[in-house]
């Protein structure tokens, strides 16, 4: 078989599929599309394990709704009023609301209908925007406990420096070493400086 023959044979599509849509490859685990997850070597997310060391973080678990169809109404805000209602004047809107109440279009009364109405209200989508000058801080490689310990050491050292400064000030002002009452005053000033 020549290369040209091979190419022309390869182009011919099965007649049963000729008029249909293009064949889409489905993904693993019932996904509609092929899985795009990176391999272990490609992943960059890291996790601190302590002692300044970091290891690759565990991969995310599969979602429960894989393969399910999401309706537009679940993901996009739907209109809350009927078309043209925005053009009503205040008086016309009052009349319309009155007519609806008379017709029985009152607020939901049963627990199930209240829950359904609440769910619809909670479907509103809000997007969080990031400040343009935001730069994420670099990972230290320390665990939370190690970070807290380090911060505590720094704060204690700073408090000691401030205590020495305030004691010197007290000695200069009074000309003597602080007694119990003086030490209380000094600690109050130090705590006030630490809190600001």
């Amino acid at each position: 078989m020549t290369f040209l023959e091979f190419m022309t044979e390869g182009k011919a599509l099965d007649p049963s599929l000729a008029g249909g849509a293009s064949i889409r490859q489905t993904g693993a685990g019932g996904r509609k599309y092929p899985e795009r997850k990176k391999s272990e070597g490609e992943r960059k997310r890291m996790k601190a394990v302590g002692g300044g060391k970091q290891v690759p973080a565990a991969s995310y678990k599969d979602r429960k709704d894989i393969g399910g169809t999401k309706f537009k109404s679940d993901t996009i805000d739907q209109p809350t009023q009927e078309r043209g209602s925005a053009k009503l004047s205040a008086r016309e809107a009052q009349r319309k609301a009155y007519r609806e109440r008379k017709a029985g279009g009152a607020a939901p009364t049963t627990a199930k209908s209240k829950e359904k109405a609440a769910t619809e209200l909670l479907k509103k989508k809000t997007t969080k925007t990031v400040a343009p000058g935001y730069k994420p801080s670099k990972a230290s490689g320390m665990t939370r406990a190690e970070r807290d310990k380090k911060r505590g050491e720094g704060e204690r050292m700073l408090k000691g420096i401030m205590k020495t400064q305030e004691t010197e000030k007290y000695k200069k002002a009074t000309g003597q070493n602080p007694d119990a009452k003086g030490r209380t005053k000094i600690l109050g000033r130090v705590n006030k400086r630490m809190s600001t």
Side-chain angles (χ1 to χ4, degrees):
M1 184 188 256
T2 64
F3 180 70
L4 281 171
E5 284 171 357
F6 172 74
M7 289 302 289
T8 50
E9 245 181 67
K11 280 180 189 170
L13 191 67
D14 185 11
S16 61
L17 300 170
S22 59
I23 304 157
R24 184 190 289 157
Q25 184 188 352
T26 54
R31 286 174 174 78
K32 290 190 174 183
Y33 298 94
E35 193 176 7
R36 296 199 312 266
K37 196 185 270 190
K38 290 180 178 176
S39 67
E40 289 293 334
E42 291 174 309
R43 283 192 205 122
K44 289 179 183 152
R45 223 163 54 86
M46 302 296 270
K47 182 179 86 173
V49 289
K53 291 188 185 120
Q54 288 187 311
V55 293
S59 61
Y60 293 114
K61 290 177 189 163
D62 284 342
R63 285 171 55 132
K64 288 177 185 158
D65 60 354
I66 283 176
T69 305
K70 290 193 190 79
F71 298 102
K72 283 269 188 230
S73 58
D74 292 342
T75 55
I76 299 169
D77 282 346
Q78 300 302 302
T80 53
Q81 298 170 318
E82 61 188 64
R83 194 180 287 276
S85 61
K87 294 172 191 141
L88 294 175
S89 69
R91 195 173 182 85
E92 284 170 336
Q94 276 184 334
R95 280 185 187 152
K96 188 172 176 283
Y98 170 74
R99 274 189 245 110
E100 280 177 1
R101 281 198 305 275
K102 279 284 191 189
T109 50
T110 63
K112 198 163 191 173
S113 58
K114 278 181 186 173
E115 189 182 333
K116 199 173 181 183
T119 308
E120 288 301 315
L121 285 170
L122 289 171
K123 274 184 187 171
K124 275 222 178 290
K125 305 292 169 297
T126 52
T127 53
K128 290 180 182 175
T129 53
V130 179
Y134 172 75
K135 282 190 182 79
S137 55
K138 286 183 180 175
S140 63
M142 292 190 279
T143 60
R144 181 179 289 280
E146 286 174 330
R147 285 198 303 272
D148 290 346
K149 188 180 174 187
K150 201 76 154 167
R151 189 175 55 248
E153 284 171 8
E155 282 176 3
R156 279 192 295 278
M157 192 175 105
L158 186 64
K159 198 170 185 176
I161 293 166
M162 286 183 182
K163 200 172 171 183
T164 310
Q165 288 172 351
E166 290 297 331
T167 309
E168 291 302 317
K169 263 190 213 171
Y170 184 88
K171 281 182 186 175
K172 227 179 231 181
T174 59
Q176 57 187 18
N177 284 335
D179 55 352
K181 201 172 183 181
R183 283 195 296 274
T184 308
K185 273 185 185 177
I186 288 166
L187 277 177
R189 286 183 201 146
V190 168
N191 289 333
K192 193 174 182 183
R193 278 177 69 182
M194 285 292 287
S195 64
T196 53

